[in-house]
Amino acid sequence: MELGQVFSNLALGFSVAFSPLNLFWCFMGAFIGTAIGVLPGVGPVATMALLLPITYFLTPEGALIMLAGIYYGAQYGGSTTAILVNLPGEASSVVTALDGYQMARQGRAGPALAIAALGSFFAGTVATFAIVLAAPPLTKLAQQFAPADYFSLMTLGLVLAVVMASGSIVKAIGMIFLGMLLGLIGTDVNTGNTRFTFDIGDLFDGIGFVIVAMGLFGIGEVIKNLGDVERRDLVSSKISGLMPTWDDIKRSSMPVVRGTFLGGILGILPGGGAVLGSFASYALEKKMSPTPEKFGTGMIEAVAGPEAANNAAAQTSFIPMLTLGIPSNAVMAMMIGGMMIHGIVPGPQVMDQKPGLFWGMIVSMWLGNAMLVILNLPLIGIWVKMLLVPYRLLALAILFFCCIGVYSLNNLWSEALFMAMFGVLGYVFIRLGCEPAPLLLGYLLGPLMEVYMRRAMLLSRGDPMVFIERPLSLTFLLIALVALILVILPNIRKTREQAFQE
Amino acid sequence: MRVRAGQELATGLLFILIGAGALYIGADYPMGTPQRPGTGVLPKILSWCLIGTGGVLLAQAVVLEAGVFKRALPIVLGAALAAAAVAFGAPMVGAGPAWAVVPAVVGFLLLMDRLVPGTAWRPLIAVTLATVAFGLTIDGLGLIVAMVISLTICALGTPETRWPEYVGFLLIMIALAVGTFIWLLGMPIPVWPVKVPDWLKFLR
């Protein structure tokens, strides 16, 4: 692709992202994201689920810009509390807490925070450019996909989601099947028959994505967190001087570059994302360091690398969603949910049909990252104060947002009851050690896969060989197969478990 | 290991139950032809896959702890009996056999608590009831009544609730909710009671 095209795309994106209203939603997203990133027990997935119904009232551009802001804002917020009070607000900042908190205890919280923010900003900038460069060719490729290729690609996506899921593989597989089954509830669009509706009229259109997501991630986690005894002792470490020393910058520059690269690649993979990126970067930095034994005692490399990696991964995980319309993790599933609320069918056609939305969102991500550096560093005192909000009040607010959100979608009171059921189910999954994210992906992809399977079978006149005769389709299926075999092999499984334990 | 085994067993049973249920309900969905796969193809495939996955989990549970089934047996038997009783008994009093789902769900929750001790019953019941209460009241009784009822039930879910603080917080929440959702976003939700909710219609 020519350079001129890149610039005209970016110019279009800038004109959309810089409109006052979209700037405001970008800011709101980044702000809300930081706030929930700071609060333990409220994740980005749950928050995006909560805000999905509200985005119905915004323009499509504003909605997606805000939802994206929540995601990367949460990365920043999560690392702030990880460093200051050893409480990783998000799973992706667990690694940051290891050395970041040690730095804070040595009175070097300021440099740790500054390096984390600047490293993240660098990674966000690079990753945004990666999206700009990668999106058009990938979209071109995707436009040549036949139904069979799509079916196989989605199979690959689900398999990789299983491989990357922490915890039991068998359970993750089951959760995908369960999610796909739940996705089939309602009217079969091809034949008009209803499935699993129990003759309940409100189920004929299926169970809304928002209901499932808010039940599993919102209500379920409220139940769990209310059951845990609260222990949030605030170690108020004084933040004296944000400026990192020259030595800090020298030591963290290479880890930031490496983290950006590693996180960027892991982010594109289905099932990957910010968590994996930060863990992998920590492991890499430990390997590269001349003094690996010092990791865990406040090494700035161990803050810089993973922070850059998780932000890069957070950005590049948009690539498969934007170009192929396939969610690679639960957050991207939320983004797709946000698109569908506005009647936009995610897929390669979005870039051609809605270039303003597409490029505006990408540019807004870079803008949002810049806003976050400004938001975060001077306002750290305020964020830490937010930790003082007790969960007993937070729970009320979350519950109310879930209820009003679900009701505002269709003004159907029965949907609150469905959400209550998914809330219980979500809590059961937490107790049983089942990750709900694969279920959500299966729920979204199941009905789509059925559509593509039917089209493929129709085109091939009922010959199932079409899935292995098309080279693209065969490639996807082979990769999926290899990934599954690798995961089941005992020795790789052991290292995988180790990686998730660290 | 005991907890792990319990988790695998309970998850396996859950998958098998749902898979079998889906297979039973979807038994007469048309299968179509290979060229035009029907409504029933994917449900059947997925049901069997789910049952199979559940079976693997049961096997894993036994490998982890040989006696795990012994722990589960009394509750499984009890719940199965209760569900069967409801399935046959409900039609006699004019209700559908689908009510058997209720003892099945309660039985499963009890089983989960036995296998994986530490269920937070109080928040589980309170938060679920609070959500249900919101659904039952919002349509007809309006936003304010729904908020007061459902948030109070939710607040009962934790011993940490401080009631004076709760009342203050509730008032702020109501003010914010009316301000944002009704005035700012213009959602078509009644603020005050306007009618008897639909589900109460049978009383009249």
Side-chain angles (χ1 to χ4, degrees):
Chain A
M1 200 184 50
E2 319 110 67
L3 213 56
Q5 190 74 46
V6 173
F7 280 113
S8 69
N9 286 339
L10 280 179
L12 175 66
F14 269 99
S15 71
V16 173
F18 267 99
S19 82
L21 209 57
N22 286 341
L23 268 181
F24 174 73
W25 292 124
C26 182
F27 173 79
M28 280 308 286
F31 185 84
I32 297 171
T34 313
I36 57 128
V38 168
L39 294 169
V42 192
V45 181
T47 314
M48 289 169 80
L50 290 183
L51 291 177
L52 269 184
I54 295 177
T55 62
Y56 179 71
F57 295 88
L58 314 183
T59 60
E61 289 84 10
L64 290 178
I65 284 174
M66 185 169 90
L67 287 175
I70 291 171
Y71 181 34
Y72 50 75
Q75 312 292 333
Y76 277 76
S79 32
T80 304
T81 43
I83 290 170
L84 285 182
V85 285
N86 201 16
L87 271 178
E90 301 310 320
S92 58
S93 35
V94 169
V95 185
T96 313
L98 297 176
D99 281 71
Y101 181 62
Q102 292 305 323
M103 284 182 71
R105 284 184 60 187
Q106 295 154 18
R108 306 214 321 121
L113 287 166
I115 287 291
L118 294 174
S120 295
F121 179 63
F122 173 81
T125 310
V126 173
T128 303
F129 270 102
I131 298 178
V132 171
L133 293 178
L138 262 178
T139 308
K140 276 239 172 60
L141 180 73
Q143 279 161 347
Q144 293 162 7
F145 281 13
D149 303 329
Y150 262 112
F151 179 86
S152 303
L153 180 65
M154 289 177 187
T155 310
L156 171 64
L158 289 177
V159 167
L160 287 181
V162 167
V163 174
M164 305 276 188
S166 54
S168 159
I169 297 163
V170 186
K171 280 186 201 162
I173 294 176
M175 292 295 270
I176 284 188
F177 291 141
L178 184 56
M180 291 172 78
L181 211 48
L182 287 171
L184 295 183
I185 293 177
T187 309
D188 174 8
V189 280
N190 267 48
T191 61
N193 298 333
T194 57
R195 287 188 282 208
F196 307 118
T197 55
F198 305 95
D199 284 328
I200 299 170
D202 293 346
L203 279 180
F204 284 179
D205 281 338
I207 304 177
F209 172 77
V210 177
I211 299 171
V212 178
M214 288 213 278
L216 289 180
F217 289 94
I219 305 274
E221 285 189 12
V222 167
I223 297 172
K224 179 206 166 243
N225 290 333
L226 276 182
D228 292 344
V229 186
E230 192 159 16
R231 39 169 189 85
R232 230 188 271 167
D233 34 12
L234 206 59
V235 193
S236 60
S237 43
K238 280 269 183 306
I239 309 159
S240 50
L242 282 170
M243 279 310 287
T245 60
W246 183 238
D247 181 50
D248 287 335
I249 295 174
K250 250 194 335 211
R251 276 171 59 195
S252 32
S253 56
M254 274 325 279
V256 165
V257 173
R258 282 192 294 261
T260 304
F261 190 70
L262 193 63
I265 289 177
L266 287 174
I268 301 175
L269 296 179
V275 181
L276 201 65
S278 62
F279 279 82
S281 166
Y282 187 83
L284 179 72
E285 290 313 321
K286 203 170 173 176
K287 278 234 168 69
M288 304 280 288
S289 168
T291 55
E293 70 282 356
K294 275 193 178 166
F295 271 62
T297 62
M299 297 284 279
I300 196 143
E301 291 92 332
V303 175
E307 276 301 304
N310 76 30
N311 210 44
Q315 307 282 327
T316 53
S317 60
F318 280 85
I319 291 178
M321 194 277 287
L322 285 170
T323 55
L324 308 175
I326 292 180
S328 53
N329 53 40
V331 176
M332 289 308 124
M334 293 295 158
M335 293 296 297
I336 285 189
M339 283 191 176
M340 294 199 299
I341 283 183
H342 285 279
I344 302 167
V345 182
Q349 73 284 355
V350 173
M351 197 175 88
D352 286 337
Q353 289 168 7
K354 307 231 179 242
L357 174 90
F358 187 90
W359 297 107
M361 197 175 117
I362 291 174
V363 170
S364 89
M365 287 194 227
W366 180 75
L367 258 180
N369 271 293
M371 282 184 196
L372 280 165
V373 174
I374 301 165
L375 256 182
N376 261 313
L377 292 181
L379 296 181
I380 271 166
I382 297 175
W383 297 126
V384 176
K385 283 251 162 56
M386 273 199 59
L387 281 174
L388 295 173
V389 178
Y391 195 80
R392 56 177 185 272
L393 297 183
L394 217 52
L396 297 173
I398 297 173
L399 178 86
F400 170 67
F401 266 103
C402 287
C403 288
I404 190 93
V406 106
Y407 182 70
S408 69
L409 278 180
N410 299 316
N411 282 27
L412 283 176
W413 58 270
S414 57
E415 297 194 326
L417 308 195
F418 298 145
M419 183 174 68
M421 284 190 251
F422 277 98
V424 174
L425 200 58
Y427 180 67
V428 166
F429 287 148
I430 294 172
R431 296 294 308 165
L432 296 181
C434 297
E435 255 193 287
L439 184 145
L440 206 62
L441 294 185
Y443 175 85
L444 266 183
L445 292 181
L448 278 177
M449 285 173 74
E450 188 180 33
V451 169
Y452 286 116
M453 176 195 72
R454 278 176 164 156
R455 279 190 204 156
M457 293 300 273
L458 192 63
L459 286 174
S460 74
R461 296 170 198 283
D463 181 10
M465 295 304 278
V466 64
F467 294 107
I468 47 176
E469 272 165 1
R470 284 191 58 89
L472 262 176
S473 170
L474 179 67
T475 317
F476 293 142
L477 288 180
L478 281 181
I479 300 175
L481 194 69
V482 170
L484 257 188
I485 292 172
L486 282 180
V487 141
I488 293 167
L489 287 182
N491 54 341
I492 296 191
R493 198 157 145 192
K494 240 175 240 154
T495 45
R496 175 178 167 278
E497 270 159 23
Q498 237 168 24
F500 279 115
Q501 247 165 33
E502 248 185 67
Chain B
M1 274 301 130
R2 255 176 84 90
V3 171
R4 247 321 268 294
Q7 283 182 331
E8 311 287 80
L9 179 65
T11 314
L13 281 178
L14 181 69
F15 286 170
I16 290 175
L17 272 179
I18 296 178
L23 209 56
Y24 174 73
I25 298 171
D28 52 354
Y29 292 162
M31 295 297 279
T33 60
Q35 194 168 344
R36 294 181 186 278
T39 314
V41 177
L42 206 56
K44 281 207 183 63
I45 296 176
L46 289 174
S47 302
W48 280 114
C49 287
L50 198 57
I51 293 172
T53 317
V56 174
L57 283 168
L58 292 193
Q60 279 188 345
V62 178
V63 172
L64 284 166
E65 183 200 336
V68 69
F69 272 98
K70 224 181 258 167
R71 281 200 285 153
L73 202 61
I75 296 180
V76 171
L77 277 182
L81 277 177
V86 173
F88 286 110
M92 289 178 206
V93 291
W99 286 100
V101 171
V102 177
V105 169
V106 173
F108 181 78
L109 289 177
L110 290 174
L111 175 73
M112 179 186 81
D113 187 53
R114 169 119 175 90
L115 292 173
V116 190
T119 310
W121 289 108
R122 187 169 165 179
L124 175 62
I125 293 169
V127 173
T128 309
L129 284 182
T131 315
V132 171
F134 188 91
L136 293 183
T137 50
I138 182 78
D139 187 47
L141 297 185
L143 184 61
I144 292 178
V145 174
M147 283 183 80
V148 171
I149 293 178
S150 75
L151 292 187
T152 305
I153 298 176
C154 179
L156 287 168
T158 165
E160 286 172 35
T161 299
R162 298 171 193 171
W163 292 100
E165 177 196 67
Y166 165 72
V167 173
F169 188 72
L170 177 68
L171 291 177
I172 297 173
M173 285 276 293
I174 290 178
L176 281 178
V178 174
T180 346
F181 297 111
I182 309 287
W183 291 346
L184 206 67
L185 293 174
M187 288 184 184
I189 300 174
V191 180
W192 299 104
V194 286
K195 61 167 188 178
V196 178
D198 289 344
W199 58 278
L200 271 174
K201 286 271 162 69
F202 69 90
L203 288 180
R204 284 188 296 163

